[in-house]
Amino acid sequence: MELIHTCYRITDPERSIAFYEALGLEKRRELPIRDEAMNYFLGVPGKEQPELELTYNFGVDSYELGTAYGHIALTIESMDDTLAALAEKGIEPERPPYSVREGGSLLCFVRDPDGYRIELIERSDY
């Protein structure tokens, strides 16, 4: 068994793809779903899976995220460099980076254009 993708429903493909590309993911392909929707697949450069599937349902302009959703997490090499690059694109963290425990990895959260939370974790083994 392997995890191959997770899916979000989005309201603006261009804006969402730009956000995830700013985080370092690459757009891989588009797949139409009849005349109802378009799927966009993104992934980590150099790795086949897992992927992020973004689904744009034609004619839908908002979604409720609900209370069960948490976040996805991405590892990064440098928190300072990543946040500086994101700031240049108008993406700011929810709050300054922090560690959950003494000696733990530095982390922070950003939100995508539809409000989904993305955890950025500076890996201590880099």
Side-chain angles (χ1 to χ4, degrees), residues 5-11 19-20 38-40 52-57 63 65 69-73 112 114-119:
H5 73 259
T6 190
C7 177
Y8 291 161
R9 290 180 172 83
I10 58 171
T11 58
F19 173 85
Y20 286 101
M38 180 68 77
N39 280 344
Y40 302 91
L52 177 61
E53 174 186 338
L54 303 177
T55 299
Y56 175 62
N57 291 296
Y63 293 98
L65 299 184
Y69 172 76
H71 62 273
I72 64 169
D112 86 350
D114 289 290
Y116 296 108
R117 294 179 80 215
I118 312 301
E119 181 180 13

Side-chain angles (χ1 to χ4, degrees), residues 2-23:
E2 64 183 318
L3 176 65
I4 62 169
H5 73 259
T6 190
C7 177
Y8 291 161
R9 290 180 172 83
I10 58 171
T11 58
D12 184 333
E14 186 175 304
R15 194 173 63 153
S16 291
I17 290 167
F19 173 85
Y20 286 101
E21 287 178 336
L23 290 177

Side-chain angles (χ1 to χ4, degrees), residues 56-75:
Y56 175 62
N57 291 296
F58 304 134
V60 178
D61 56 357
S62 68
Y63 293 98
E64 292 183 27
L65 299 184
T67 58
Y69 172 76
H71 62 273
I72 64 169
L74 301 173
T75 57

Side-chain angles (χ1 to χ4, degrees), residues 21-41:
E21 287 178 336
L23 290 177
L25 298 180
E26 64 183 4
K27 181 180 169 194
R28 296 190 173 154
R29 64 189 182 284
E30 299 178 10
L31 179 67
I33 303 172
R34 296 175 292 282
D35 59 355
E36 305 167 18
M38 180 68 77
N39 280 344
Y40 302 91
F41 291 87

